[in-house]
Amino acid sequence: MTGSSVPAREASTSLNRAIAILKVLGTAEGARDGVGVVRIARLIDREKSQVSRTLKTLAEAGFVVRDPRTLRYRLGWQLFTLAVSATQQHLTSLAPHLLRQLVANVGECAHLSVLDGGAVLTVLSESPPRTEQAIQAEEWVGRVAPVHCTSAGGALLLDHTEAQTRSLLAGQPEMDAKLAALLDRVRLARRRGYATVNEDFEPGLVAVAAPVRDYRGEIVGALNISAPKFRLGRALAAAGREVRAAADGLTRALAAHATNRRIS
């Protein structure tokens, strides 16, 4: 009994030490200049040899990196990869409630989309309680659409430079015409806070989308409404304001979730 509990205590101590080190590297000092072993050991009140061993393990796993010139440590890309994955999970867990509210306010199908390379991928959909529209919403989940002719594409590219946008469309037929139309859509979306398409993606279909941002202010998704033009065409601006409000609400929810996690 005693023998089996000792390794468990050692593992717990090692884990606590690793967490303490990562927290030090996550401070402004760590982000700016990196932190050396001696400084880390002093800050977390641990022996230098223990800190060195833990840093070696963290470096092998990609959670920290060592500057070969200064010998100081910074957070590694693996940690940021996990953070992105966590943001995506929070995004899909927090979005359904706001999507349902958006559907109730507008009366049309609502979707959550993300950028998937040079395309737009729909990951969640909600629809009004009408059978035909419910079927349409189900068909959107997992569907990939071009970035240049969708409202979600315009919203997701709001912070992209022209060079970045051109790179996404590289190799596509009639790229210059597509790029010009997309850049116009993005410029207008920046002023309004939402992007629209009017039969650009499909004849008779209109749509509007607004970006969702994480706690760092980076765009991680887009909420959008799509519907036949005869139903939504005249109310597209009003729908845009509703979509923007819902996207802003999801942005605030993501920020609050990140804040609560840091406090706890």
Side-chain angles (χ1 to χ4, degrees):
M1 183 78 169
T2 303
S4 63
S5 64
V6 171
R9 285 200 300 271
E10 290 178 352
S12 177
T13 301
S14 298
L15 178 59
N16 288 334
R17 186 165 56 244
I19 291 171
I21 290 171
L22 292 174
K23 285 184 175 180
V24 167
L25 296 181
T27 63
E29 178 184 353
R32 184 179 63 251
D33 303 316
V35 190
V37 176
V38 174
R39 172 72 171 158
I40 295 172
R42 186 181 302 121
L43 288 172
I44 68 173
D45 194 23
R46 294 290 192 277
E47 293 180 6
K48 178 185 172 183
S49 59
Q50 293 176 330
V51 171
S52 293
R53 287 196 298 271
T54 304
L55 282 166
K56 182 181 179 181
T57 300
L58 290 171
E60 289 171 350
F63 290 114
V64 303
V65 292
R66 189 188 193 198
D67 188 315
R69 183 177 59 84
T70 66
L71 304 183
R72 293 173 178 172
Y73 287 86
R74 287 188 172 86
L75 295 177
W77 285 110
Q78 181 62 32
L79 201 63
F80 292 102
T81 300
L82 290 177
V84 170
S85 177
T87 297
Q88 292 172 341
Q89 291 176 14
H90 298 155
L91 181 64
T92 54
S93 66
L94 295 169
H97 172 67
L98 285 155
L99 281 175
R100 287 191 290 270
Q101 281 188 333
L102 183 57
V103 169
N105 291 342
V106 181
E108 299 291 350
C109 297
H111 316 279
L112 170 67
S113 301
V114 297
L115 197 60
D116 183 21
V120 173
L121 172 66
T122 300
V123 294
L124 289 175
S125 289
E126 291 287 341
S127 60
R130 295 197 290 272
T131 304
E132 182 181 347
Q133 286 184 293
I135 293 172
Q136 291 173 353
E138 287 288 336
E139 291 175 348
W140 278 101
V141 175
R143 186 173 174 182
V144 175
V147 71
H148 72 275
C149 60
T150 54
S151 62
L156 289 165
L157 299 185
L158 221 61
D159 293 345
H160 277 54
T161 65
E162 180 174 338
Q164 290 171 328
T165 304
R166 180 181 292 276
S167 177
L168 283 177
L169 300 183
Q172 293 190 20
E174 302 177 356
M175 186 189 76
D176 289 340
K178 291 178 180 178
L179 178 65
L182 179 55
L183 292 175
D184 286 343
R185 180 174 295 118
V186 170
R187 278 192 288 267
L188 184 57
R190 288 191 185 117
R191 294 199 297 270
R192 291 174 169 173
Y194 60 86
T196 62
V197 293
N198 188 343
E199 299 187 276
D200 300 78
F201 177 65
E202 186 177 300
L205 186 72
V206 297
V208 58
V212 177
R213 299 178 182 272
D214 65 9
Y215 70 96
R216 299 164 299 180
E218 296 183 4
I219 295 175
V220 292
L223 295 187
N224 78 288
I225 288 282
S226 60
K229 186 173 183 177
F230 73 86
R231 276 207 313 261
L232 190 63
R234 293 183 179 180
L236 201 56
R241 291 189 289 272
E242 291 283 356
V243 171
R244 179 180 179 180
D248 289 346
L250 185 49
T251 293
R252 289 192 296 271
L254 285 172
H257 192 281
T259 300
N260 292 337
R261 294 288 293 179
R262 287 197 294 270
I263 292 174
S264 61

